[in-house]
Amino acid sequence: MLKILANKVIRLLELRKQNLDQNEKLESVSKRFETTLSRLLEAQETAKIGSWDWDLQKDQLYWSPQLFRLFDFETKASSQMVTHEWQAAIHPCDLENVQNFLKKLLKSKSRHCIEYRIVKKDGSELWMLGQGASDIDDSGNIIRVYGTGQDITNKKQAEFDRNLYLTTLKDMLFSLSHKIRGPLTSCIGLLNILEKEHLEEEDIKKFASFFKVSTLEMDEYVRELITFIHTNSLKLNEEPAKRP
């Protein structure tokens, strides 16, 4: 009997040791998981990108904390996030495109992306880059869609500034070509006269005076162009504004 009891005690001690070892391993894994999750959330905040995950079978929608911040929402339980709430923040002109984006994700297992605007509580607009994909079960049914939303407002602002700069530069060059062509045509005509006609000194002085005025006009137009190019080139190299 003592031997049987001793064996049972030893067995119980072994089981207890195994449980302790397993608990230590679980605690270690849990700490590593928490560290990884914390670093992921910090990376999302730095990159201004949030993630979402929609379980279609349970109809549960998960949003990362950064996605709540981007939409200017108060962070809450993911299960409380409903479709009409976040769609209300989408810019009216982009809502239909966003809805079509979701429909594509729900129809086939493929990746899609979209650019859209959201309107924050203070009325400011934020450009977002949305990317998404879907998972299917063994029967080919889509059971989950997931993706990210990233703030690309600065990128869109830079694109807007460059397009405006190029358009304005094109218009200005067209305008300057007409402004310079007038005095230049007159100068060419007078030069032809000077080559063919024998003019008195007084007439030559008048012609020289006209040449000087015309040259100064063209020089002024060229200076305007150089100033425009230089000033706007500096602006394009600066950090773009937050609003497009």
Side-chain angles (χ1 to χ4, degrees), residues 17-236:
K17 184 178 182 301
Q18 290 177 3
N19 288 334
L20 289 174
D21 291 341
Q22 289 179 353
N23 289 336
E24 289 179 358
K25 289 179 181 179
L26 288 174
E27 185 177 354
S28 176
V29 170
S30 178
K31 287 182 179 179
R32 290 200 299 269
F33 175 76
E34 290 177 359
T35 301
T36 302
L37 179 59
S38 176
R39 290 173 178 172
L40 174 62
L41 295 178
E42 288 175 357
Q44 285 193 0
E45 185 174 2
T46 301
K48 296 182 179 181
I49 183 172
S51 58
W52 57 271
D53 194 310
W54 185 9
D55 187 330
L56 298 177
Q57 293 180 321
K58 298 179 181 179
D59 195 21
Q60 290 183 347
L61 178 61
Y62 164 82
W63 275 32
S64 70
Q66 180 59 22
L67 195 57
F68 278 101
R69 286 191 286 269
L70 289 174
F71 271 75
D72 203 16
F73 289 164
E74 293 182 4
T75 305
K76 58 184 179 181
S78 297
S79 59
Q80 297 176 1
M81 175 55 65
V82 290
T83 302
H84 70 82
E85 187 173 2
W86 65 262
Q87 287 195 2
I90 305 295
H91 193 287
C93 296
D94 299 333
L95 180 56
E96 184 177 355
N97 289 336
V98 173
Q99 292 172 339
N100 291 333
F101 166 74
L102 288 175
K103 290 178 181 177
K104 291 178 181 177
L105 292 176
L106 293 171
K107 285 183 178 180
S108 60
K109 187 180 185 302
S110 56
R111 294 183 176 274
H112 298 280
C113 62
I114 184 177
E115 292 183 357
Y116 62 95
R117 290 162 291 176
I118 59 176
V119 183
K120 305 182 76 172
K121 294 177 181 178
D122 60 2
S124 61
E125 295 178 4
L126 202 70
W127 272 100
M128 297 283 287
L129 171 63
Q131 301 188 69
S134 55
D135 283 343
I136 60 176
D137 59 15
D138 296 336
S139 301
N141 300 315
I142 294 178
I143 58 174
R144 169 176 170 255
V145 289
Y146 57 93
T148 59
Q150 183 175 15
D151 179 1
I152 57 168
T153 305
N154 287 348
K155 174 178 175 292
K156 297 297 290 187
Q157 178 66 65
E159 291 176 357
F160 176 83
D161 288 342
R162 282 174 172 78
N163 290 334
L164 179 62
Y165 169 73
L166 293 174
T167 300
T168 306
L169 179 60
K170 181 179 179 181
D171 293 341
M172 192 170 186
L173 287 172
F174 180 79
S175 176
L176 285 176
S177 67
H178 287 278
K179 289 182 178 180
I180 294 177
R181 187 172 297 169
L184 188 60
T185 301
S186 299
C187 289
I188 293 173
L190 292 174
L191 286 172
N192 290 331
I193 294 175
L194 288 173
E195 287 180 345
K196 297 177 181 179
E197 302 291 339
H198 297 285
L199 301 176
E200 299 292 334
E201 183 178 351
E202 184 177 349
D203 294 327
I204 294 176
K205 288 182 179 180
K206 291 180 180 179
F207 279 23
S209 177
F210 180 82
F211 278 126
K212 184 177 181 180
V213 172
S214 299
T215 303
L216 290 175
E217 285 183 7
M218 289 187 287
D219 181 66
E220 181 182 355
Y221 298 147
V222 173
R223 287 177 183 273
E224 287 181 13
L225 178 60
I226 293 174
T227 301
F228 170 80
I229 294 175
H230 179 69
T231 303
N232 285 274
S233 294
L234 289 177
K235 288 181 179 180
L236 288 177

